[in-house]
Amino acid sequence: MRAAPLLLLLACTSGPNDSNDPADPADTGPVDTGLLPGEVVLGQTCPLADSIGTLGLQPASGSAWISGQLYDRPNPWYGEPTLSTATCAFHTFDANSCGTCPSGDVCGQAGECTKQPRALTDVHVELTRDGATVSFDADPTGGYLYGDAAGPDTSAYALTATFAGQSITLPELRLADPTLAVVVRTEGGYDAPGALDATWTPPTDGGLLTTTIPINHHAGGPTFTRCEAPASAGAFHADAAMVDPLALITGLEFQGVDHVNVAAAQTALGCVDVRFGGTTAWVWEP
């Protein structure tokens, strides 16, 4: 019998910089997604190298709760994957490749020092359900946004957000079903897990299944495997070479699978990921 991987749930909500200092002009523009600022595409996620953060609506004991944090530019640590399958991508990055960067800069994917992203503190979000609107403002210090949407997790919500002179508007979107049962399997134990597969019975309400598997927290750094598959696909797969390098020190830290309805909202600063849903009823199968 294979040993079950070690599961550690980590609460890491801070980004590259939680400062509320005024944003510096970006060194370069956002990645060209083919979308115009203000354009929203339902069912699509932002390219990782263009994302400036996430606004999410999650189920919580029958209610819906909003959370999120946005930045003034995409994270320069993220670029093209080192390895990939049809549904998963393995990302690595050597944060020391630039040597010592000036204060306020970080090492970017291209091996050059670049401006450090700063959390936006002027984010204002409005959720509308059945004609009633609830408003939320980001924390003025760290830029975090969190609150009760004042409605059930079975309702549809329209979302508008303004920040740093930008604006996005989404039509009504429902939370994906968090009770979808997902089975996760690995070839080996937590220290050498090998290939990873997640399977589920495709639901009738669609959505996207996604996970981000971080490198063990003792190693740290922006090395991870991200998997995404339409709920209709019923599975995603990551090769052993995309999973084993993450299982250092105390083993693999798989953190669950999310079932979400998604949208990509383009702005002049970058792309905002909007995700309605939450962690599924996932299990490991020995």
Side-chain angles (χ1 to χ4, degrees), residues 65-87:
W65 286 74
I66 190 169
S67 65
Q69 190 172 34
L70 302 180
Y71 291 85
D72 65 345
R73 70 197 70 212
N75 192 324
W77 287 350
Y78 302 149
E80 293 299 314
T82 304
L83 300 169
S84 62
T85 65
T87 52

Side-chain angles (χ1 to χ4, degrees), residues 13-277:
T13 56
S14 60
N17 187 345
D18 295 326
S19 167
N20 63 342
D21 293 338
D24 295 309
D27 297 329
T28 60
V31 174
D32 183 6
T33 61
L35 304 179
L36 297 175
E39 190 171 355
V40 174
V41 179
L42 297 178
Q44 179 175 311
T45 58
C46 297
L48 192 58
D50 189 46
S51 176
I52 58 170
T54 300
L55 296 175
L57 201 61
Q58 302 88 24
S61 301
S63 299
W65 286 74
I66 190 169
S67 65
Q69 190 172 34
L70 302 180
Y71 291 85
D72 65 345
R73 70 197 70 212
N75 192 324
W77 287 350
Y78 302 149
E80 293 299 314
T82 304
L83 300 169
S84 62
T85 65
T87 52
C88 298
F90 175 59
H91 293 263
T92 61
F93 174 55
D94 180 6
N96 298 315
S97 61
C98 298
T100 301
C101 289
S103 177
D105 285 9
V106 293
C107 188
Q109 184 67 223
E112 298 178 352
C113 295
T114 185
K115 293 296 182 183
Q116 187 172 19
R118 292 190 173 99
L120 297 172
T121 58
D122 65 344
V123 181
H124 177 78
V125 173
E126 294 184 353
L127 289 173
T128 301
R129 176 186 66 88
D130 296 333
T133 298
V134 183
S135 298
F136 307 88
D137 291 298
D139 177 82
T141 301
Y144 304 113
L145 188 143
Y146 183 78
D148 187 347
D153 60 10
T154 54
S155 292
Y157 296 80
L159 179 148
T160 62
T162 57
F163 51 90
Q166 309 298 309
S167 177
I168 61 173
T169 300
L170 271 76
E172 286 191 342
L173 193 65
R174 291 186 181 275
L175 282 73
D177 181 8
T179 66
L180 180 67
V182 178
V183 177
V184 180
R185 303 179 181 89
T186 53
E187 294 176 317
Y190 71 90
D191 55 344
L196 181 146
D197 288 277
T199 59
W200 59 89
T201 300
T204 58
D205 61 347
L208 182 81
L209 275 290
T210 181
T211 189
T212 297
I213 313 169
I215 195 169
N216 185 280
H217 74 283
H218 290 288
T223 294
F224 58 93
T225 291
R226 177 179 177 177
C227 298
E228 289 185 355
S232 59
F236 61 69
H237 169 84
D239 293 336
M242 304 162 65
V243 181
D244 285 340
L246 307 174
L248 303 177
I249 318 298
T250 55
L252 188 68
E253 295 178 356
F254 189 89
Q255 300 189 20
V257 180
D258 289 341
H259 182 204
V260 287
N261 286 320
V262 298
Q266 188 66 39
T267 75
L269 299 180
C271 188
V272 177
D273 273 303
V274 180
R275 302 189 176 209
F276 282 20

